[in-house]
Amino acid sequence: QEKEVQVAQTGAVEVETIEWKLVTSWPKNFPGLGMAPERFAKLVDEMSAGRLKIKVFGAGELMPAFEVFDAVSQGTVQMGHSAAYYWKGKTPAAQFFTSIPFGLNAQEMNGWLHYGGGLELWEEVYEPFGILPLAGGNTGVQMGGWFNKEINSMEDLKGLKMRLPGLGGEVLKRVGGVPVTLPGRELYTALQTGAIDATEWVGPFNDLAFGLHKAAKFYYYPGWHEPGTTLEFLMNKEAFAALPADLQSIVTIAARAINQDMLDEYTSKHIIALDSLIDEHGVILKQYPDEVMKKLAEVSKVVIKEQSAKDDTMTKVYKAYMEYEAGVRKYHKISEDAYSRLRE
Amino acid sequence: MAILLFLVVCLVLMLGYPVALTLAGVALMFAGIGELTGTFDSSLLGALPNRLYGVINNPILMAVPLFVFMGVVLEKSKVAEQLLTSMAELFGRFRGGLIFSVFFVGMLLAASTGIVGATVVTMGLMSLPSLLKRGYDPAFSAGAICATGTLGQIIPPSIALVLLGDVLSNAYQQAQLKMGIFSPKSVSVGDLFAGALIPGLLLLVMYCLYTLILIKRKPEQFPAVLDKRSIDLSFVMQTISALVPPLLLIFLVLGSILLGIATPTEAASVGAFGALMIALVKRQMTLPLLKEVMLSTTKITSMVFLILIGASIFSLVFRGFGGEVLIHDLFHNMPGGLIGATLLVMLVIFLLGFILDFIEITFVVVPLVAPILLAMGLDPIWLGIMIAVNLQTSFLTPPFGFALFYLRGVSKELVSSSQIYKGVIPFVGIQLLLMLILSIWPELITWLPSQIYG
Amino acid sequence: MNRVEKLTEFIGKGVSWFTLFIVLMTLAVVVLRYAFSTGATAIQEGALYLHGAVLTLAAGYTLKHDGHVRVDIFYRHFSSRGQHWVDLLGTLFLLFPVCIFITYSCFDYVLASWRYAETSVEAGGLEYVYLQKSLLLLLVVSLLLQGCVELVRHASALFANKREESEETGEQG
Ligand code: NA
Ligand code: NA
């Protein structure tokens, strides 16, 4: 009924309604990550006065979580919401567009992508797959993870069984740890029974919802392995090209708004969730020792350089990323970082 | 159209062509007709490769061949039969000693795996031949095995509970955020595991009570073990050698999970390998027998997964015809009041359980209804366990319960479909009774989690 | 047809060894992690590939041995002719269309994976995801091969001369 009224209000001209499907890698209603595509769809609907309707499917609803990329690439669906590092097996350079160990933080990622040439590179990386990427949110610096063992020195990392996917896992392996590959569904049980000693997840907001505090004692910070996790909107290139110019703008701008919105939400919700974890659930918050962070940063540099050398596209992205990183680090030393130190 | 599809599938299934291909074939035929008449969203079918790859690439489902392997080894090497016989001899003076042994072993097995297909098949392989050999009623035996086999779904660990935990925890967050609670409480897989324990054991007790009543009324159907032997040294030795290894094996599987040595999926390989070792030590494993075991495992695994693939194609087409919109509308017009709404949800889930597997129901139906029910103030743990028991009942209900298909698949010449149907009905009744009990006394579910996690 | 049946049998027996390998490999992963503190993602993924191979490649073998479960409350009471009719029509109108559709729908998906030589996402994982995805098409091959055999078998049982039919019993396979 509401739709009919809308059509009537737009006047006598018949308005064509376009329907899109958007699949995500998150369960329906997943706090933060999963809400972004829902809000995006609502925003596009409102901005386009109902001309572009986007139906959002949670992970497992239409297809499993990690089929998003293929489905967008094949044109099965027009859009996806996910994270680029899941597509490492298709194109290893994708990892740079989510987060890499000791890499850019949220603010810096947004700078690089939107004013530092990052997005153009990202488009180039996805070009062979017929996909257009857009930044789709950020979690901020993640947490180091949930541990049932204390980490006081590098020695404690030896033999540490931790679920830590991607580049972070590779780094852990180099220093004698055991990155364990585990389906997400067995994560909780594995941590509780001790089949693994530790796991990373996202940050307080999601971790509290998942209930990881019931399976582990120590909550370590910071998330060196994912300092500025960027999410992504994926669009099928042909589908996007077929949109009228105003709808193209609407989609792009709505994505940009949601990209910021997620970071804003995480920033606020993390605060409350962390308080709740510590005050109500007795979680012990711990900082990684400096010695450990220093060593991991060193190893990370080596690992990322090595991996990047294996693939031409990745080499190209690596160079651009590192160049931006050096620049922004230098500037942030006297701006953001200097100010942060002041507040302590 | 979605309803017509459902009805036609039921009819064609009755003709007796393999279930998996019937589900997929009829669905695709409908998709074709729908495409021609423009009533079908055919773009959804594009998701088929993604879904099929999801089936063959799911590491958790690898527990199926592993557990089936263990079951087949224990069956073919006669270790299972010796175990059950010895247990029955121990309780020889009681009528029905064997069936209680089956319940006991089934409980242990349920505690060591979370995949219903795996437990039903393993129980069927291990215990059905023994029961029939001892003169138990085939219908009752089949019913008892199906019912015990589906226990794997609620006695932890359970894949169904893990998936439900995932979905419910998100729904719970959403419900609380909508109510303006910004420091929301959480519900985790651990909560559901703890909540399921008492209902699971209670269910087992109810099975036993029912069996006791039957024994009183029809003692001739529950023969005591025929050759009652005096208890001498050789009897003791024989009993120990039959009893200890397989029980040790199941405790090994369970222990490897609880002690954090293996994940539940991996623990299945500990069981399979252990079974092989027991058979070898008992000199009941030869190369030809091993080949038989492997072939049998292969056939059963292929059977189970083709059903999963068929069901996956079916539910995709069901969606394409607006089946999901149908469900959505149904819940949108939900009767007022918590009790009415909950009853409706339970009824729909029960009916859907006939045609969709729990993965579909968990991902499609639960996210639709859970936030609404939770916002009405329902306890998330209670809801999760009720859904799990409900689905378990649905999988057990003739003529299309998945558990029945699985048992039928491994018991070719032993029992007929109609015997399975007949035998399982009382157990369906018991499960419905359990759901009633859990509704009257929800503390049976919520007490343990609150004790453990505060 | 005889050759096709032999091939189905050969494939079934071949992949049946994989079930043993799956057991041993998964156990190895546990032992390596628990006793030797070593991750073994490659072995884990290898077992998963083999698992996929069992359930796809053996579909035809299972069909040959009538291992795919039926709702046989009525079927078992049908005459032998009736059963042949169900199986003949089922093969023609259920099995074949399903196979054709899976091929049509999965072909591009598998091809794309080959084109970019898809590898594992996990550190230390296997580099042959495209082979694993190809199993979807092999499922079809396996079912189609045996489906043809079934078609000929049931058709000839129905349409060959009637004398042979009287020798048949209700049991099969
Ligand atoms: Na993370
Ligand atoms: Na279980």
Side-chain angles (χ1 to χ4, degrees):
Chain A
Q1 276 177 341
E2 280 174 2
K3 275 178 218 157
E4 283 166 27
V5 175
Q6 272 181 5
V7 172
Q9 280 173 347
T10 47
V13 190
E14 184 71 22
V15 185
E16 189 200 6
T17 308
I18 300 173
E19 285 182 12
W20 273 17
K21 292 188 182 75
L22 187 158
V23 289
T24 77
S25 299
W26 336 112
K28 198 95 183 153
N29 307 325
F30 193 82
L33 304 179
M35 294 318 287
E38 306 276 357
R39 286 177 188 155
F40 170 77
K42 189 160 173 277
L43 197 57
V44 169
D45 186 13
E46 285 167 7
M47 288 166 81
S48 69
R51 283 166 60 218
L52 181 55
K53 298 251 178 227
I54 299 178
K55 187 163 167 40
V56 179
F57 295 87
E61 247 191 299
L62 203 53
M63 60 187 66
F66 302 123
E67 293 294 311
V68 170
F69 190 90
D70 282 339
V72 177
S73 170
Q74 307 261 308
T76 304
V77 295
Q78 292 76 22
M79 279 195 86
H81 188 258
S82 189
Y85 57 12
Y86 297 140
W87 324 127
K88 172 194 163 195
K90 302 171 204 293
T91 173
Q95 297 170 94
F96 283 102
F97 302 103
T98 306
S99 199
I100 59 169
F102 296 96
L104 303 175
N105 67 22
Q107 189 181 351
E108 296 162 352
M109 272 303 283
N110 281 323
W112 179 55
L113 288 174
H114 299 125
Y115 286 93
L119 188 60
E120 286 76 16
L121 273 175
W122 199 354
E123 285 170 1
E124 199 179 315
V125 170
Y126 281 2
E127 162 75 38
F129 306 93
I131 293 178
L132 271 178
L134 290 169
N138 206 303
T139 64
V141 181
Q142 298 203 343
M143 285 296 284
W146 293 89
F147 288 70
N148 277 320
K149 270 188 184 169
E150 278 186 75
I151 305 298
N152 295 318
S153 67
M154 286 306 292
E155 207 44 45
D156 292 328
L157 288 181
K158 294 238 157 69
L160 179 84
K161 287 172 256 179
M162 179 170 186
R163 180 186 178 270
L164 184 58
L167 288 167
E170 192 60 44
V171 173
L172 181 65
K173 197 168 160 188
R174 298 280 172 102
V175 299
V178 187
V180 178
T181 305
L182 203 66
R185 290 160 190 176
E186 289 199 323
L187 181 58
Y188 186 92
T189 321
L191 185 61
Q192 197 173 39
T193 60
I196 55 173
D197 306 313
T199 185
E200 64 89 46
W201 194 237
V202 182
F205 185 38
N206 287 115
D207 297 10
L208 172 67
F210 194 15
L212 284 170
H213 53 282
K214 295 173 190 172
K217 272 189 291 205
F218 306 115
Y219 199 20
Y220 268 91
Y221 70 90
W224 56 274
H225 57 285
E226 290 192 47
T229 309
T230 307
L231 291 311
E232 65 178 1
F233 283 109
L234 302 162
M235 289 188 293
N236 180 280
K237 227 174 179 168
E238 285 171 28
F240 184 73
L243 287 183
D246 62 333
L247 289 186
Q248 287 184 343
S249 265
I250 287 177
V251 167
T252 316
I253 289 173
R256 188 72 176 265
I258 292 301
N259 179 51
Q260 187 61 44
D261 180 74
M262 188 195 286
L263 183 61
D264 302 348
E265 183 183 19
Y266 268 117
T267 305
S268 310
K269 299 272 170 73
H270 280 329
I271 308 171
I272 308 169
L274 185 64
D275 283 347
S276 163
L277 281 171
I278 294 171
D279 300 340
E280 290 165 37
H281 300 287
V283 166
I284 304 168
L285 192 64
K286 280 191 164 282
Q287 185 178 7
Y288 279 118
D290 286 346
E291 171 220 354
V292 170
M293 283 297 98
K294 240 188 191 149
K295 180 72 189 167
L296 289 181
E298 250 170 59
V299 177
S300 295
K301 259 202 188 112
V302 176
V303 167
I304 294 162
K305 193 169 181 182
E306 272 178 27
Q307 305 256 327
S308 300
K310 286 186 198 158
D311 179 271
D312 290 345
T313 320
M314 197 166 166
T315 310
K316 186 174 172 187
V317 179
Y318 169 76
K319 281 188 180 142
Y321 186 98
M322 285 307 165
E323 197 184 320
Y324 191 87
E325 198 265 346
V328 79
R329 183 156 32 99
K330 198 167 130 201
Y331 176 67
H332 272 176
K333 207 167 242 163
I334 57 128
S335 53
E336 306 285 329
D337 304 351
Y339 177 65
S340 285
R341 273 195 300 275
L342 270 184
R343 295 210 288 192
E344 272 158 21
Chain B
M1 205 64 171
I3 296 174
L4 191 66
L5 168 64
F6 177 63
L7 292 176
V8 172
V9 156
C10 293
L11 278 178
V12 179
L13 276 175
M14 288 295 179
L15 289 178
Y17 196 67
V19 171
L21 294 164
T22 307
L23 280 173
V26 172
L28 287 177
M29 226 179 271
F30 263 72
I33 298 170
E35 174 71 13
L36 291 177
T37 57
T39 51
F40 179 70
D41 179 5
S42 60
S43 72
L44 278 182
L45 282 182
L48 188 64
N50 310 94
R51 287 167 81 100
L52 294 189
Y53 179 62
V55 174
I56 69 168
N57 189 43
N58 186 338
I60 288 180
L61 291 178
M62 215 160 72
V64 172
L66 294 172
F67 263 105
V68 170
F69 193 97
M70 171 174 112
V72 178
V73 170
L74 294 179
E75 176 219 13
K76 296 234 187 246
S77 64
K78 307 245 184 290
V79 172
E81 191 186 335
Q82 287 160 5
L83 162 74
L84 290 168
T85 312
S86 295
M87 286 183 70
E89 275 176 356
L90 262 188
F91 309 119
R93 58 210 83 162
F94 308 112
R95 282 193 173 275
L98 188 55
I99 188 68
F100 290 113
S101 313
V102 169
F103 284 146
F104 178 67
V105 172
M107 179 190 72
L108 293 179
L109 211 58
S112 53
T113 176
I115 310 263
V116 172
T119 36
V120 173
V121 165
T122 313
M123 285 302 293
L125 288 168
M126 282 174 40
S127 48
L128 192 59
S130 304
L131 283 169
L132 297 185
K133 212 164 157 186
R134 298 280 160 177
Y136 277 77
D137 175 43
F140 170 80
S141 309
I145 286 170
C146 277
T148 321
T150 51
L151 270 181
Q153 176 152 330
I154 55 169
I155 293 184
S158 147
I159 296 305
L161 290 180
V162 171
L163 293 185
L164 275 170
D166 214 25
V167 171
L168 278 175
S169 108
N170 294 320
Y172 194 37
Q173 295 290 306
Q174 202 203 21
Q176 293 180 82
L177 289 176
K178 272 205 179 130
M179 291 189 283
I181 303 169
F182 292 107
S183 169
K185 279 184 283 191
S186 64
V187 49
S188 68
V189 181
D191 292 317
L192 288 188
F193 278 7
L197 204 57
I198 293 176
L201 295 177
L202 183 62
L203 192 55
L204 198 69
V205 171
M206 287 164 76
Y207 291 165
C208 291
L209 285 177
Y210 165 70
T211 309
L212 281 175
I213 295 171
L214 272 190
I215 292 174
K216 261 242 145 69
R217 286 176 46 191
K218 295 180 191 161
E220 71 283 357
Q221 280 186 10
F222 297 88
V225 172
L226 301 174
D227 41 345
K228 257 189 204 164
R229 294 171 48 177
S230 57
I231 297 182
D232 56 15
L233 192 67
S234 86
F235 173 77
V236 171
M237 289 308 288
Q238 200 186 331
T239 309
I240 290 177
S241 85
L243 222 54
V244 172
L247 288 183
L248 199 69
L249 176 68
I250 295 178
F251 281 117
L252 199 68
V253 174
L254 211 54
S256 68
I257 299 173
L258 295 177
L259 296 177
I261 296 169
T263 65
T265 311
E266 292 169 345
S269 75
V270 176
F273 185 75
L276 211 54
M277 288 300 107
I278 291 175
L280 267 177
V281 170
K282 290 200 159 192
R283 300 183 179 282
Q284 280 157 338
M285 185 48 70
T286 57
L287 188 61
L289 195 64
L290 177 64
K291 285 185 178 170
E292 246 182 78
V293 167
M294 296 185 314
L295 280 176
S296 189
T297 307
T298 302
K299 276 186 278 187
I300 295 167
T301 307
S302 159
M303 179 265 290
V304 170
F305 277 84
L306 203 65
I307 293 185
L308 285 181
I309 288 175
S312 178
I313 295 178
F314 177 86
S315 51
L316 196 60
V317 175
F318 185 70
R319 258 202 119 118
F321 277 116
E324 180 223 356
V325 180
L326 202 76
I327 297 169
H328 191 272
D329 289 350
L330 191 65
F331 290 128
H332 200 72
N333 305 319
M334 229 165 2
L338 187 57
I339 294 176
T342 311
L343 265 176
L344 179 72
V345 168
M346 288 298 158
L347 182 71
V348 171
I349 289 180
F350 180 77
L351 291 177
L352 286 173
F354 290 157
I355 46 164
L356 306 181
D357 70 12
F358 73 81
I359 298 181
E360 300 293 336
I361 294 176
T362 309
F363 284 129
V364 177
V365 183
V366 179
L368 277 177
V369 297
I372 309 176
L373 293 180
L374 295 177
M376 287 172 158
L378 213 58
D379 184 278
I381 303 175
W382 185 85
L383 181 63
I385 304 307
M386 286 298 278
I387 292 176
V389 178
N390 189 356
L391 280 178
Q392 185 189 329
T393 315
S394 177
F395 295 158
L396 211 53
T397 304
F400 301 122
F402 283 94
L404 312 179
F405 292 155
Y406 294 145
L407 181 66
R408 182 78 191 106
V410 293
S411 62
K412 290 237 113 145
E413 282 83 31
L414 296 176
V415 288
S416 67
S417 284
S418 42
Q419 280 172 323
I420 298 181
Y421 294 170
K422 198 177 131 216
V424 86
I425 286 173
F427 290 95
V428 172
I430 294 175
Q431 300 214 354
L432 291 175
L433 182 64
L434 175 75
M435 289 179 67
L436 187 70
I437 293 175
L438 293 177
S439 305
I440 300 173
W441 293 288
E443 304 79 29
L444 288 171
I445 293 173
T446 52
W447 178 76
L448 192 59
S450 72
Q451 289 303 303
I452 296 180
Y453 298 114
Chain C
M1 278 301 126
N2 230 337
R3 266 197 207 154
V4 178
E5 272 198 282
K6 271 194 186 137
L7 180 63
T8 300
E9 197 68 19
F10 177 76
I11 294 173
K13 288 196 170 134
V15 296
S16 77
W17 282 95
F18 292 174
T19 59
L20 181 65
F21 297 158
I22 295 170
V23 172
L24 298 178
M25 288 162 82
T26 312
L27 188 72
V29 171
V30 178
V31 173
L32 282 174
R33 188 183 60 231
Y34 190 74
F36 300 97
S37 284
T38 312
T41 304
I43 302 180
Q44 241 170 318
E45 291 187 351
L48 193 59
Y49 285 15
L50 292 184
H51 163 71
V54 171
L55 30 124
T56 51
L57 292 172
Y61 177 81
T62 309
L63 186 66
K64 178 169 183 279
H65 291 267
D66 196 18
H68 291 298
V69 63
R70 309 164 182 268
V71 178
D72 59 353
I73 18 179
F74 300 122
Y75 181 86
R76 59 184 299 151
H77 299 298
F78 290 165
S79 67
S80 147
R81 273 191 84 77
Q83 294 188 343
H84 280 307
W85 269 115
V86 167
D87 287 327
L88 179 69
L89 295 177
T91 309
L92 266 179
F93 295 110
L94 297 170
L95 187 143
F96 283 159
V98 169
C99 287
I100 293 167
F101 188 78
I102 294 182
T103 313
Y104 163 77
S105 140
C106 293
F107 195 78
D108 285 345
Y109 177 79
V110 175
L111 197 69
S113 183
W114 278 83
R115 205 179 299 127
Y116 45 78
E118 190 169 1
T119 63
S120 169
V121 178
E122 304 294 343
L126 293 180
E127 310 207 320
Y128 312 106
V129 173
Y130 53 96
L131 289 182
Q132 189 198 17
K133 285 190 172 171
S134 304
L135 289 171
L136 292 178
L137 295 178
L138 293 178
L139 165 73
V140 173
V141 173
S142 158
L143 274 176
L144 269 186
L145 280 179
Q146 188 56 29
C148 291
V149 174
E150 298 290 315
L151 189 73
V152 172
R153 190 163 69 86
H154 296 301
S156 63
L158 280 169
F159 304 119
N161 60 41
K162 302 252 170 182
R163 258 176 300 150
E164 286 173 33
E165 191 207 322
S166 59
E167 290 166 17
E168 278 196 43
T169 63
E171 306 295 320
Q172 36 169 289

